[in-house]
Amino acid sequence: MSCIEQMKYEILLEKTTYKEAREYIEKNSEEVYYVDPGYKIFKDYHIIGVPPIAMGVKGNSLIFTYTKPCYGTFVLTVDSEDSTKEIDRLRETAKDKVKPSLKKSKPPESPKAPSGSYLDMWKK
């Protein structure tokens, strides 16, 4: 299927911002992956938005943003054979291109500042 309108979907959040959509997906998904704008799902549908674009998985359901000109941005979920295939592809792609969620892992360490004063740094 190449048109979202032809799929059996459920609207979880409507007429929202990209930031609110991302936060909703992060809070309501078991797994979260981040994709770049233009990432393709369901063969012909390109995800658009402001990065990082979150895509969620909850059971066999794929949760993602859908932007329709003149109507706004929505968070949709699809639970079908097609969504299961997309979830498998998303997980496989996650090894190379998609950034997995940091939601359940510990935060990255911040770089440590070199010891010494500002003047010491310029003496070298």
Side-chain angles (χ1 to χ4, degrees):
M1 278 200 196
S2 62
C3 183
I4 299 294
E5 297 290 329
Q6 296 172 350
M7 301 184 87
K8 218 175 175 184
Y9 63 85
E10 181 182 343
I11 298 174
L12 302 176
L13 193 63
E14 55 185 284
K15 297 181 182 174
T16 188
T17 66
Y18 292 123
K19 181 181 177 187
E20 290 170 341
R22 180 177 52 248
E23 289 171 353
Y24 182 89
I25 292 170
E26 289 171 343
K27 290 178 185 173
N28 293 287
S29 301
E30 295 165 358
E31 300 172 49
V32 179
Y33 299 93
Y34 298 95
V35 299
D36 292 323
Y39 182 83
K40 256 192 199 183
I41 61 172
F42 305 118
K43 296 180 185 168
D44 294 330
Y45 175 67
H46 295 271
I47 297 289
I48 61 173
V50 177
I53 301 172
M55 292 186 66
V57 176
K58 190 170 186 177
N60 291 328
S61 298
L62 181 64
I63 304 170
F64 58 97
T65 57
Y66 176 67
T67 302
K68 188 170 184 179
C70 299
Y71 293 96
T73 299
F74 298 79
V75 175
L76 304 180
T77 183
V78 174
D79 186 355
S80 67
E81 187 178 318
D82 289 331
S83 67
T84 305
K85 290 177 188 175
E86 284 302 317
I87 291 168
D88 291 340
R89 190 173 70 84
L90 185 64
R91 287 176 179 149
E92 185 62 31
T93 306
K95 296 174 187 172
D96 301 324
K97 297 178 185 174
V98 180
K99 301 166 203 97
S101 173
L102 297 174
K103 181 176 161 182
K104 294 181 183 175
S105 64
K106 61 182 186 179
E109 291 183 26
S110 61
K112 296 184 180 183
S115 60
S117 70
Y118 180 74
L119 292 174
D120 291 339
M121 189 170 67
W122 288 103
K123 288 180 183 177
K124 293 181 182 179

